[in-house]
Amino acid sequence: MGEAPVFYINGFSKFEHQIQQQNHDSSWYEEIIDEDLKWSFKLNSVLHKAISEYQDITLLDTKRFGKALVLDGKMQSAETDEFIYHECLIHPSLLCHPNPKTVFIMGGGEGSAAREALKHKSIDRVVMCDIDKEVVDFCKKYLIANREAFSNKKLDLVINDAKAELVKRKERFDIIVGDLADPLEDGPCYQLYTKSFYENTLKPKLNDNGIFVTQAGPAGIFTHKEVFTSIYNTIKQVFKYVIAYTTHVPSFADTWGWVMASDQPLSICAEEMDRRIAERIDGELLYLNGAWFHSSTTMNKTVYQSLQNESHVYTEENARFIPGHGVAFRL
């Protein structure tokens, strides 16, 4: 039997993910994790594929994880477990804040981060700023779980570069969220992980007791040095109090990391976090509680030492990237 034919989404022979047709009724999606490692899962269908001005976009219907959003060959979220990533991204910062009213989300085009923020009864306004209108439009169309969030009157949806949007706005925010794609060489957003951006653009747009939180990439035992430790160290140069926390996300095939920061202490006990969840949030969280959050800030020995010893600071001229490339690399 000959080798199964391989065809690449959007026709790029060097594109980072591929669909492999193995027989007449079986197709598999492959994502290249590194040059010697692939992650694959079975597909029902490809719902959408396109190249926007900024990135390669694919929406897959997978057998194991449901609908899955893939940008520049990298899994962004999957229907069955996206609640893990988005609860971890959004709720710790809002629960640590005494009374959050306003949230600015950088990225977040699929709407899940906004959905979670809007669960908080105290919220008056959520600004979601994504650079890619095509991503937002097809997520509105296909991701049924977020339709209520997209239609919420408290949501201000803006299509713009997050840096440009923050610069032009006069107001400040209680919470700023980085729900950005991972730093990819020639990708659309690695500049939004730099010290100069955090220091000169983002921090001045936080209220005095404001909190910043960002996704910070893979944080597994073999992958945490790609970008996680560097993002953490960069943020430490700008804010007085910085917390890193991690958990496993099945569809990412790895442990994932987030970094939360403020110039005010971020201490909250597990019991107080649970009390605030009960009082402040409409509906039930599926993943986060006080005990889990406290455990998530404890790293294994290797990752802890890497965080403490990291010296790299993100700049426009000296950035780190996860394996892969953005659209500009292929054009």
Side-chain angles (χ1 to χ4, degrees), residues 46-226:
V46 179
L47 296 174
H48 180 93
K49 54 182 179 178
I51 304 173
S52 73
E53 182 181 353
Y54 303 101
Q55 55 203 332
D56 235 304
I57 307 164
T58 308
L59 188 65
L60 305 173
D61 183 11
T62 74
K63 290 187 179 296
R64 173 61 63 94
F65 297 113
K67 293 174 184 175
L69 175 65
V70 179
L71 300 179
D72 281 336
K74 300 296 180 183
M75 174 76 80
Q76 302 301 303
S77 73
E79 191 173 25
T80 59
D81 69 356
E82 59 85 7
F83 68 90
I84 301 174
Y85 169 90
H86 289 104
E87 286 189 15
C88 295
L89 174 68
I90 294 297
H91 296 297
S93 61
L94 272 77
L95 292 167
C96 285
H97 193 283
N99 188 28
K101 296 289 187 183
T102 55
V103 178
F104 186 97
I105 300 171
M106 303 186 295
E110 68 183 274
S112 298
R115 180 197 69 216
E116 294 301 316
L118 289 164
K119 290 179 179 179
H120 286 252
K121 300 172 186 177
S122 65
I123 292 298
D124 292 330
R125 188 156 167 259
V126 174
V127 178
M128 188 184 91
C129 181
D130 197 287
I131 198 171
D132 201 329
K133 185 176 187 299
E134 187 159 357
V135 169
V136 174
D137 286 346
F138 87 72
C139 287
K140 279 183 172 181
K141 179 178 179 180
Y142 288 106
L143 302 184
I144 297 172
N146 295 336
R147 286 182 179 170
E148 186 175 341
F150 277 118
S151 63
N152 193 303
K153 292 181 179 179
K154 293 181 179 180
L155 179 65
D156 179 8
L157 174 58
V158 179
I159 304 299
N160 198 4
D161 172 75
K163 179 178 180 180
E165 188 66 24
L166 283 171
V167 167
K168 81 173 188 178
R169 284 180 176 262
K170 296 180 180 179
E171 74 263 45
R172 297 195 294 172
F173 298 88
D174 295 323
I175 309 289
I176 296 180
V177 178
D179 188 15
L180 301 164
D182 298 319
L184 281 173
E185 190 171 4
D186 298 313
C189 61
Y190 78 86
Q191 298 91 341
L192 302 185
Y193 291 95
T194 61
K195 179 175 181 285
S196 62
F197 171 70
Y198 293 148
E199 194 167 48
N200 301 324
T201 303
L202 186 148
K203 189 175 180 181
K205 296 299 180 179
L206 281 170
N207 286 322
D208 291 340
N209 60 351
I211 299 173
F212 169 57
V213 63
T214 185
Q215 80 89 14
I221 191 71
F222 298 123
T223 54
H224 64 277
K225 288 186 178 181
E226 289 177 356

Side-chain angles (χ1 to χ4, degrees), residues 236-307:
K236 273 178 60 180
Q237 312 307 308
V238 179
F239 290 91
K240 292 180 181 178
Y241 301 94
V242 181
I243 294 175
Y245 55 102
T246 66
T247 202
H248 181 71
V249 180
S251 63
F252 291 175
D254 208 346
T255 299
W256 215 253
W258 297 263
V259 178
M260 181 168 60
S262 179
D263 278 347
Q264 300 297 322
L266 293 166
S267 58
I268 180 173
C269 68
E271 293 76 15
E272 176 62 17
M273 181 169 277
D274 286 337
R275 187 185 66 80
R276 291 184 182 184
I277 289 171
E279 290 181 355
R280 294 184 181 187
I281 293 177
D282 279 325
E284 184 178 358
L285 300 184
L286 299 175
Y287 193 78
L288 185 144
N289 62 20
W292 168 82
F293 179 70
H294 276 263
S295 70
S296 73
T297 64
T298 301
M299 306 293 153
N300 64 61
K301 179 181 178 180
T302 297
V303 175
Y304 174 80
Q305 289 180 339
S306 296
L307 288 170

